[in-house]
Amino acid sequence: MSYFEFLVAHGDLLLSGTLVTAMLAAVSIALAIVLALTAGLMRLAPAGPVRWVATVYIEFFRGTSLLVQLYWIFFVLPLFGLSLDKFTAGFIGVGMNLGAYGAELVRGAILSVPKGQWEAALAINMSPLTRMRRIILPQALVIMLPPWGNLLIELLKGTALVSLISVADLTFQAKQINATTFMSAKAFGTALIIYYVMARFIITPLMRWLERSMARKLGRA
Amino acid sequence: MEQAEDLSQYPLELTGKNVPMVRFKKVAKRYGSLTVLEHLDLDVAEGEMVTIIGPSGSGKTTVLRTLMTLERINEGVIYVDGKPLTHMEKDGKLVPASQKYLRAMRSKIGMCFQHFNLFPHMTALENCMEGPVHVLGIPRKQARERSEELLEMVGMADKRDQHPSRLSGGQQQRVAIARALAMRPKVMLFDEVTSALDPEVIGEVTNVIRRLVSDYNLTMLMVTHQMGFARDISDRVCFFYRGRIEEQAPPSELFGDPKSDRTRQFLSAVKEAV
Ligand SMILES: Nc1ncnc2c1ncn2[C@@H]1O[C@H](COP(=O)(O)OP(=O)(O)OP(=O)(O)O)[C@@H](O)[C@H]1O
Ligand SMILES: [Mg+2]
């Protein structure tokens, strides 16, 4: 069977798997961004308890394995009465995990905005909230975009683990094809190429474009 | 733990004739065991231009930073416009100011920094409009007109749509002055605003400050290492030494006939350096 014939025979499965992976990655990214911003800001809050909640979240999700987290969400939470469908469990797991890493990026970027910016905002009598929103976060965003690019690629690759809770993503479909046809090289080879293309030809250019447009906003381009 | 200070010795507000715009009353500022300001008394009258000179580390910047409320003081009280700045009245007594009180009082004060600290993600005009629109809540159109006027006044009208990264140091500092003025402060603070500038552009900034002195009824407190400029422009010069005012006098007197040996030493050392 030629590779072309392989694609004709199994293309539909690979395509549907790719779409599921892309969807799952997209919602996970949205969740990760929201969580990262929230937890990153909470880590800088003056009130101790607010900081601690964020610290526990970050420590837990960074310190334990994503796969076990997915198992927990999918297999253990139902025992406590919270049942989620596979896809939801998958994106919540991936999103919360990467959100924890993102929170540290947010916090680090905020702290690396020069002290003079905080002081200049205070000198025009800005409230802490306005200062964060209008002065600090926009500059922190520019600082954290490059590491976020790496994080999103990690996230995309991490989505493969959801196949282990039977989400029919790209990895899952490749495994199915392999199980029925035993054409491991073609099945997994194609999956590898698709992951690579999504990372390098979608996420990376998108991030580059974002970085450039942010740089233009700073009048640096 | 340091002993709480008896605040009852300080008046709740300054009354009578000749209430100064700024009064430091027995102000102490410490960083750990390092005393930076030691029971400092300093008055600045309304409309007065006072210059602070002195050796590095003598506490000049700290005076401005405590007045801008960027630093808390350890002892004493600072008054602005007759009312306490660092403290507020509660049940007939002075207590440390709350954030809310500080925000109300801080609106009277503006500051320009050595390194400009313009907001890099905004144009010159947006930098000036930011405070009026997002702090004072002035309508955009009105804020824009006023900001444009101020940029005109500092000679930066033609660069108003440029981001700070496209401006020279002297240009950035002039925008920073306009940004501070846009908040309509009563007191302006300048901390070595020409120290980070190339010599050939210092004049553009000092000329703006000269205009402020002649055309605006602002109270100004300026730290500078430019003795010639200080001499020209100040009503009074304070020589700081180790967190205290060693000597203060009108410029002609302080530069022409300094009383203190330390002042004399400092002035001759500065002269040699030039
Ligand atoms: N945040 C801080 N923590 C500890 N020490 C500080 C801090 N800020 C200032 N100091 C110290 O306080 C002293 C006075 O500092 P200040 O900046 O007021 O001096 P200055 O007169 O402005 O000096 P310069 O001419 O070098 O600007 C210095 O010894 C300085 O090291
Ligand atoms: Mg200084």
Side-chain angles (χ1 to χ4, degrees):
Chain A
M1 195 186 219
S2 73
Y3 187 58
F4 181 73
E5 285 165 324
F6 170 84
L7 282 184
V8 170
H10 304 288
D12 53 341
L13 279 186
L14 288 168
L15 184 65
S16 94
T18 304
L19 287 179
V20 170
T21 291
M23 287 263 290
L24 192 119
V27 273
S28 303
I29 288 173
L31 179 65
I33 290 174
V34 171
L35 286 174
L37 263 181
T38 312
L41 285 169
M42 282 170 71
R43 283 269 282 161
L44 296 164
V50 177
R51 280 200 310 274
W52 302 331
V53 169
T55 306
V56 168
Y57 159 66
I58 292 167
E59 282 301 308
F60 178 79
F61 278 90
R62 291 200 335 161
T64 60
S65 125
L66 171 57
L67 182 56
V68 182
Q69 288 161 21
L70 284 169
Y71 283 161
W72 251 86
I73 294 170
F74 190 62
F75 296 116
V76 183
L77 284 189
L79 303 180
F80 297 96
L82 184 63
S83 296
L84 300 169
D85 67 80
K86 291 177 280 197
F87 185 86
T88 311
F91 90 74
I92 288 182
V94 175
M96 288 191 83
N97 184 275
L98 270 295
Y101 285 90
E104 289 297 272
L105 294 186
V106 170
R107 190 180 88 98
I110 288 174
L111 290 179
S112 61
V113 173
K115 196 164 141 255
Q117 291 293 310
W118 300 74
E119 296 186 343
L122 190 96
I124 58 168
N125 209 7
M126 271 194 178
S127 69
L129 207 69
T130 311
R131 170 169 70 179
M132 186 56 77
R133 192 170 56 84
R134 301 275 320 161
I135 307 299
I136 305 301
L137 272 183
Q139 296 182 57
L141 195 58
V142 179
I143 298 171
M144 66 183 152
L145 269 183
W148 264 100
N150 294 331
L151 195 64
L152 294 189
I153 289 174
E154 284 305 314
L155 182 144
L156 176 71
K157 294 189 286 189
T159 58
L161 290 177
V162 302
S163 64
L164 295 170
I165 55 169
S166 307
V167 176
D169 76 333
L170 177 56
T171 303
F172 182 87
Q173 301 293 17
K175 277 198 303 193
Q176 293 293 93
I177 296 166
N178 177 51
T180 51
T181 64
F182 302 105
M183 289 190 281
S184 321
K186 286 196 179 84
F188 291 122
T190 311
L192 280 184
I193 291 170
I194 295 175
Y195 278 117
Y196 183 80
V197 167
M198 285 200 278
R200 277 287 167 270
F201 296 97
I202 298 177
I203 295 184
T204 304
L206 211 70
M207 293 306 288
R208 288 273 180 286
W209 175 81
L210 264 178
E211 283 169 35
R212 268 201 313 275
S213 73
M214 295 305 285
R216 244 196 319 278
K217 278 213 172 122
L218 288 186
R220 288 208 192 117
Chain B
M1 207 40 224
E2 71 183 89
Q3 196 72 32
E5 187 192 11
D6 175 21
L7 289 166
S8 65
Q9 58 183 308
Y10 303 102
L12 297 177
E13 59 181 312
L14 308 179
T15 50
K17 276 197 302 180
N18 302 326
V19 169
M21 181 53 80
V22 174
R23 167 168 289 176
F24 282 71
K25 192 72 199 152
K26 286 196 3 192
V27 170
K29 172 68 190 170
R30 287 184 284 272
Y31 292 109
S33 61
L34 175 73
T35 299
V36 180
L37 298 181
E38 212 181 332
H39 291 128
L40 174 70
D41 288 318
L42 171 65
D43 279 8
V44 184
E46 182 166 8
E48 195 181 15
M49 164 58 115
V50 172
T51 301
I52 298 175
I53 63 170
S56 180
S58 57
K60 307 180 296 294
T61 295
T62 306
V63 172
L64 302 192
R65 290 177 59 84
T66 54
L67 187 50
M68 190 66 253
T69 69
L70 291 168
E71 307 280 354
R72 290 214 165 230
I73 57 176
N74 299 94
E75 277 173 46
V77 177
I78 303 177
Y79 296 86
V80 172
D81 207 7
K83 295 215 290 183
L85 166 79
T86 50
H87 296 72
M88 61 183 189
E89 187 194 329
K90 196 181 168 204
D91 305 327
K93 281 196 293 229
L94 284 182
V95 296
S98 66
Q99 286 304 321
K100 193 175 156 215
Y101 184 81
L102 281 178
R103 279 205 75 204
M105 288 299 291
R106 204 186 277 133
S107 63
K108 298 175 197 276
I109 307 163
M111 180 163 180
C112 292
F113 302 87
Q114 185 175 349
H115 297 288
F116 336 124
N117 300 348
L118 289 179
F119 305 132
H121 54 306
M122 300 177 188
T123 63
L125 181 64
E126 287 164 350
N127 262 278
C128 296
M129 290 172 60
E130 184 65 15
V133 172
H134 293 279
V135 178
L136 304 178
I138 292 174
R140 287 195 78 81
K141 186 167 168 292
Q142 219 172 308
R144 180 186 190 86
E145 277 165 16
R146 164 131 181 95
S147 299
E148 280 174 347
E149 262 167 45
L150 285 166
L151 285 174
E152 180 82 53
M153 194 272 289
V154 299
M156 289 295 296
D158 54 330
K159 300 274 187 192
R160 66 176 175 212
D161 294 323
Q162 297 287 346
H163 281 81
S165 58
R166 295 283 181 83
L167 301 176
S168 74
Q171 293 173 330
Q172 289 188 57
Q173 194 60 282
R174 285 185 280 153
V175 174
I177 293 173
R179 175 177 71 179
L181 291 174
M183 299 300 288
R184 298 183 183 275
K186 292 188 162 182
V187 183
M188 273 288 284
L189 312 176
F190 298 97
D191 188 13
E192 292 195 37
V193 289
T194 56
S195 291
L197 302 180
D198 293 331
E200 69 270 20
V201 300
I202 287 177
E204 17 178 290
V205 173
T206 53
N207 282 336
V208 169
I209 298 176
R210 278 177 216 274
R211 263 197 83 177
L212 295 186
V213 171
S214 62
D215 299 359
Y216 287 67
N217 186 34
L218 272 167
T219 305
M220 293 191 256
L221 204 49
M222 174 172 89
V223 173
T224 185
H225 286 296
Q226 286 181 274
M227 298 306 147
F229 182 50
R231 187 172 190 151
D232 277 3
I233 185 175
S234 318
D235 298 312
R236 179 159 45 110
V237 180
C238 298
F239 173 66
F240 264 67
Y241 190 82
R242 295 201 178 161
R244 290 168 166 282
I245 298 177
E246 173 79 13
E247 182 171 356
Q248 56 180 320
S252 55
E253 206 175 298
L254 191 123
F255 289 112
D257 179 25
K259 301 281 175 294
S260 154
D261 285 343
R262 289 192 181 123
T263 316
R264 218 169 295 137
Q265 262 168 25
F266 173 77
L267 289 177
S268 67
V270 171
K271 208 171 283 167
E272 272 161 35
V274 171

